[in-house]
Every structure is written in structure tokens, then in C-alpha cells.
Amino acid sequence: MAQPRVSVIIVNWNGKHLLGECLDSLSAQSFKDHEVVVVDNGSLDGSVAYIRRNYPDIKIVGLPENHGYAGGNNAGIRIASGTYIALLNNDAKADREWLENLLQEAETNLPNVGMWASKVLSFDHPDIIDTVGFLLYPDGVGRGKGRLETDHGQYDQREEAIFPSGCAGLYRRAMLDEIGLFDEKFFAYADDVDLGLRARLAGWGCVYVPTAKVYHKYSSSSSAYSPLKAFLVERNRIWVLLKYYPLESVLASPFFTLNRLVIHLYGALTGKGASGRFSEQHSILNAFFILIKAWYSACMELPDIIRQRRSLKKLRRISRSELYRLLRTFRISAREVALKE
């Protein structure tokens, strides 16, 4: 069998109710030279049987337990055959020309580009943007660029992105072979940030492709305001900060974190933003304990994170000024982090 040009990896955990629309959208792609690999993270809802019955041509990797987004994608990438690796969330539906438009951009004469970001729109409200790439706060928190903005063409130009959202992105296999796969320690959330920054340090570029559209049911595969998500986001952003940010940025980060948390507290007290939604479902006291737990967990892995930071020096191909340019160009404000849902 001929090697497919693209391998599309989908990680699933008890998402049988989501898979039909996702997999049907891949069957309908105008670009046919692709394979689909579904990695099932130990689902108990009959997902694997559903795929085998309805989509017999799809490769299935059945894991005995939940290895998270990072471990699941790694398992799929390891058996994938494609020259390019496309990642798609199981709660997303790809536009018919999604892969075609990504590949058209990827196969231009830009060998130093290793990542391509999609235009991700809300599934239920396709005039609302989910993400068009990523932005970073100075303490390592990442957030989708353009999130919740009304789409009136402001992001319809091809341009540089810092890296794709893991919801829907394309990666050059040769790049992954050089820099490695997802850090499975992250489990979920910010693992795409970690991989993207590692690629940028190694000198690989990223292009945003506005014609490559995907429609996403935000956090349908996991609760948008769950304690687990809050814990992973906070813990993992510390690891991102310690692994990739310049030392002076790491030392300055507590001031940025304090500023962000003050605005989060304001949001929780006034019912605004993600903090407001979280406090409605849980409590401000619960949020405080989650922060402490996340900081403790991050510190417990500090020796390994420092070791990884040192090892990344061997991979680094960009200058200090270029890293600062990326962090400055794709910076997000504390208010946008804290007060947007």
C-alpha cells in the first residue's frame, strides 16, 4: 500500500457521541491521500466497537488506560505513515477543503516551516472564532488568538503564527523526527504549547492558513471549567515557563502571575470570564487550593524540568533576540487571559 501524504491523528476518550461528525468530515475531504488514526484512551463507552463497525478503514490504536492528549497523540504518531501529521480533536468537524488547503500551503518552497495553524471556528456559532493560532502571557499561560471574536475577515490573511492549536494543526514529520514528540508528563493542556515552542527554538517556522477551517465544540471532550483542567493549565504553564523562557523572564514571572491572579480574583467576584464561570460551579476557595496543588506538583518535577531546559540548548537554532521577538509579537494581556471565557 502506498504511503499516504498525511496521517490524521484523533485522540478519543469516551467520545463515541462525538466521533460520527468528526470522522464523516474526514471521509468527505477533497484531499484523498490521507489516512486516519484514532487513538482510544481506554474508553468504556463502546467507542472502539463503534469505529470498527462504521469506519472499517480507520486505523485504531487501543490503549488500556487514559494516556491523555499528549500520550494519545504520541501513540498515533508512532504508527502513522504520512509525510505530514495532522492533529484533529474528536469534538471538531473539518471543512471539506481543510487538508487540501493545509497541504497546498505546506508544499510551497518553505523548507524551514514545520507547522501550519488552522482557522478554528465555533461549531454552534460558526461566525465566532475559537482560535487562529496561539498567544502567550509572560508567565507561560497560553490562549487561543482571536478567541470569541466575531469573524468579519480580520484573520483572513496568511501570516506567521507562533504555533498551531493542538485542536487542528499540521506538522511536518521531519520536524517531529528532529525535535521529538509531545511531553507526556503534561498529560493534557499546554502540551501543544510545549511542542510548538520546542519547534520554534529549533528554528522551525509556523504559518497560519485562514482557508483551512475547522468547527470546534469547545471543551466537549472535557469540562471547560473542571478542577482537573484548572490544575493542569496552571501546573503545565509553569513547566512551559521554566523550559523555554529566558532566565530574566522566569525571574520576572511572579509579578506577572500576581497581576493575572488579581484579575482572576476580580473575575471570580464579579462573575466575569473563566474565573467567574469556575466560581459559579465550584468556589474561590477551591480555586485557591487548586493553585497550591498545581504549584506543588510543578515543583516536585523541578529537577527533571531543569534537566530538560539544559538539554534544549543542543536543539536551539534561534537567537535570543528572535525568541524575545516571538514572545513580544504573540503576547496576550492579563485581562484577556483572565476575563475571557
Side-chain angles (χ1 to χ4, degrees):
M1 185 175 178
Q3 179 180 341
R5 207 74 184 116
V6 183
S7 296
V8 184
I9 313 296
I10 298 167
V11 176
N12 177 70
W13 180 64
N14 292 327
K16 184 176 78 170
H17 61 293
L18 300 166
L19 288 172
E21 287 174 311
C22 178
L23 298 178
D24 286 346
S25 74
L26 293 175
S27 298
Q29 288 295 296
S30 58
F31 181 84
K32 300 300 183 184
D33 190 12
H34 70 275
E35 65 174 355
V36 178
V37 180
V38 175
V39 181
D40 188 77
N41 266 328
S43 294
L44 301 175
D45 66 347
S47 289
V48 171
Y50 171 81
I51 297 168
R52 285 178 176 156
R53 183 172 62 252
N54 295 283
Y55 306 92
D57 294 333
I58 286 178
K59 290 183 180 179
I60 302 173
V61 180
L63 301 179
E65 58 188 16
N66 190 354
H67 288 248
Y69 175 87
N73 273 310
N74 285 353
I77 293 168
R78 288 187 184 109
I79 72 150
S81 305
T83 306
Y84 297 94
I85 301 294
L87 304 183
L88 185 67
N89 274 15
N90 67 343
D91 57 355
K93 180 179 76 171
D95 180 78
R96 184 175 180 274
E97 296 181 344
W98 175 58
L99 286 176
E100 181 179 347
N101 289 329
L102 284 173
L103 262 292
Q104 184 177 357
E105 178 63 44
E107 302 207 323
T108 59
N109 295 318
L110 293 171
N112 63 317
V113 175
M115 303 173 285
W116 296 268
S118 306
K119 184 176 190 177
V120 184
L121 302 165
S122 167
F123 185 94
D124 295 318
H125 304 282
D127 60 329
I128 300 297
I129 293 168
D130 184 303
T131 177
V132 291
F134 248 94
L135 298 173
L136 293 171
Y137 185 64
D139 72 351
V141 168
R143 187 179 180 87
K145 179 180 178 181
R147 175 152 172 77
L148 298 182
E149 294 182 24
T150 300
D151 181 19
H152 51 76
Q154 69 271 40
Y155 299 114
D156 279 356
Q157 299 298 316
R158 172 194 177 279
E159 60 183 8
E160 180 187 26
I162 189 167
F163 46 77
S165 164
C167 170
L170 184 71
Y171 299 81
R172 195 185 296 274
R173 182 61 182 258
M175 181 194 78
L176 297 176
D177 290 342
E178 177 190 338
I179 70 169
L181 305 181
F182 288 98
D183 186 341
E184 296 188 20
K185 192 187 302 290
F186 280 64
F187 189 76
Y189 303 108
D191 31 25
D192 50 358
V193 177
D194 176 79
L195 182 71
L197 284 178
R198 196 181 333 137
R200 296 309 301 247
L201 279 184
W204 292 94
C206 179
V207 172
Y208 163 62
V209 186
T211 55
K213 298 178 183 178
V214 162
Y215 303 91
H216 184 215
K217 299 177 182 178
Y218 183 70
S219 287
S220 289
S221 56
S222 63
S223 174
Y225 308 111
S226 73
L228 177 60
K229 178 177 179 179
F231 165 78
L232 291 172
V233 167
E234 181 63 19
R235 183 198 66 180
N236 293 353
R237 71 90 189 164
I238 297 172
W239 289 347
V240 166
L241 173 76
L242 295 177
K243 286 175 72 172
Y244 298 103
Y245 280 56
L247 180 59
E248 51 269 38
S249 298
V250 173
L251 295 175
S253 68
F255 299 100
F256 290 101
T257 298
L258 178 61
N259 183 43
R260 176 173 60 83
L261 293 179
V262 167
I263 300 175
H264 270 302
L265 178 60
Y266 166 77
L269 293 172
T270 59
K272 295 180 179 179
S275 298
R277 301 289 82 75
F278 183 92
S279 61
E280 286 174 3
Q281 298 178 23
H282 307 284
S283 70
I284 295 176
L285 184 61
N286 192 15
F288 173 75
F289 285 123
I290 288 170
L291 282 177
I292 299 301
K293 182 181 176 183
W295 295 342
Y296 175 78
S297 179
C299 289
M300 290 299 291
E301 297 292 336
L302 195 57
D304 184 58
I305 296 299
I306 292 174
R307 179 190 61 77
Q308 289 187 52
R309 180 183 176 94
R310 289 172 177 165
S311 69
L312 285 167
K313 291 180 180 179
K314 301 174 185 176
L315 190 69
R316 185 166 176 167
R317 301 287 183 274
I318 63 170
S319 66
R320 192 178 186 81
S321 62
E322 173 63 8
L323 177 58
Y324 272 115
R325 182 193 72 81
L326 290 171
L327 296 176
R328 182 176 63 252
T329 301
F330 298 99
R331 178 172 169 171
I332 192 172
S333 70
R335 290 187 64 84
E336 190 169 357
V337 170
L339 299 183
K340 267 193 177 182
E341 294 186 29

